[in-house]
Amino acid sequence: MNERPLKERNLMTLKHNLGTLIEPATLRVERTLPAPVERVWAYLVDPEKRRTWLAGGTMAQAPGGVFELRFQHTELSGEEAPEHYAAYRKTHIQKSRVVRIEPPKLLTISWGSESDTASEVTFELAPRGDGTQLVLTHRRLPDRKETVSVSSGWHAHLDVLDDVLHGRQPHGFWTNLEAVEKAYEASIP
């Protein structure tokens, strides 16, 4: 049997549809996740659960509250960052601020900064059958390079969340990120 290596196969297919630009500087990603809304909500706001797919740290419970995201990407799947992502081999700390919170259906946070001018990420959750429809909207992306980076990052992180919620060991985060980054690079004008 002539089977392609796993890395090559991963570069040829994407597990989920790409996010889309719904207006300039605004990315929208939709996923149906295999868990009820309350469980998905916990993976957004509980730092211990959130660290399994995105970043640990702390969490604020009210608008205006500042919190910390502690990214430890190697822990997501056990795969070390390739050389061109070497800076992410160490813990990366990011301050963010809760902009809006309506448990368990809506969370908006600043991204990359706690300032009022930072880009913003909104997570909207709604029941869909036995699962949850997640709509992630990232607004105020400054340029194409950041849009490709953020799009790829959200896609890869949400793939890890999907694996975690399915009770599966997440596939290689960095291998997946490289594949989806190429796809976003080709699709974003």
Side-chain angles (χ1 to χ4, degrees):
M1 184 173 188
N2 185 10
E3 187 139 344
R4 293 187 174 126
L6 179 60
K7 185 172 182 176
E8 185 178 333
R9 286 196 318 266
N10 284 345
L11 293 174
M12 296 173 59
T13 61
L14 295 175
K15 187 174 175 181
H16 295 98
N17 291 337
L18 294 178
T20 57
L21 292 178
I22 58 171
E23 57 189 51
T26 302
L27 170 73
R28 182 183 186 103
V29 179
E30 296 186 36
R31 293 282 178 92
T32 300
L33 298 170
V37 168
E38 292 77 12
R39 183 167 179 231
V40 175
W41 179 259
Y43 277 85
L44 296 178
V45 298
D46 178 327
E48 281 304 305
K49 286 181 170 53
R50 192 181 60 221
R51 73 184 269 282
T52 66
W53 72 276
L54 180 65
T58 61
M59 188 61 203
Q61 301 300 316
V66 175
F67 65 99
E68 181 180 276
L69 292 170
R70 293 180 62 80
F71 292 88
Q72 296 171 299
H73 290 92
T74 300
E75 291 182 7
L76 298 177
S77 66
E79 183 180 42
E80 186 172 301
E83 193 55 40
H84 62 281
Y85 293 112
Y88 292 98
R89 291 178 184 160
K90 295 188 249 174
T91 300
H92 173 73
I93 298 172
Q94 172 179 302
K95 294 284 188 183
S96 291
R97 180 178 46 83
V98 172
V99 175
R100 188 171 164 200
I101 186 167
E102 297 174 20
K105 61 182 181 174
L106 185 131
L107 175 66
T108 300
I109 61 173
S110 67
W111 189 255
S113 165
E114 57 195 89
S115 81
D116 290 336
T117 59
S119 66
E120 287 184 354
V121 181
T122 298
F123 302 89
E124 297 172 85
L125 306 178
R128 174 168 278 175
D130 293 337
T132 298
Q133 178 70 21
L134 165 69
V135 177
L136 181 152
T137 307
H138 196 138
R139 293 176 180 79
R140 298 196 302 239
L141 293 163
D143 55 37
R144 183 181 185 280
K145 180 180 178 185
E146 184 72 9
T147 300
V148 169
S149 176
V150 162
S151 300
S152 307
W154 280 122
H155 193 111
H157 280 287
L158 291 173
D159 283 351
V160 173
L161 177 59
D162 186 72
D163 284 338
V164 168
L165 292 171
H166 271 101
R168 299 185 296 240
Q169 173 64 35
H171 297 358
F173 174 79
W174 293 107
T175 301
N176 187 34
L177 180 68
E178 287 180 311
V180 297
E181 189 172 60
K182 288 178 184 177
Y184 280 103
E185 183 66 47
S187 73
I188 292 176

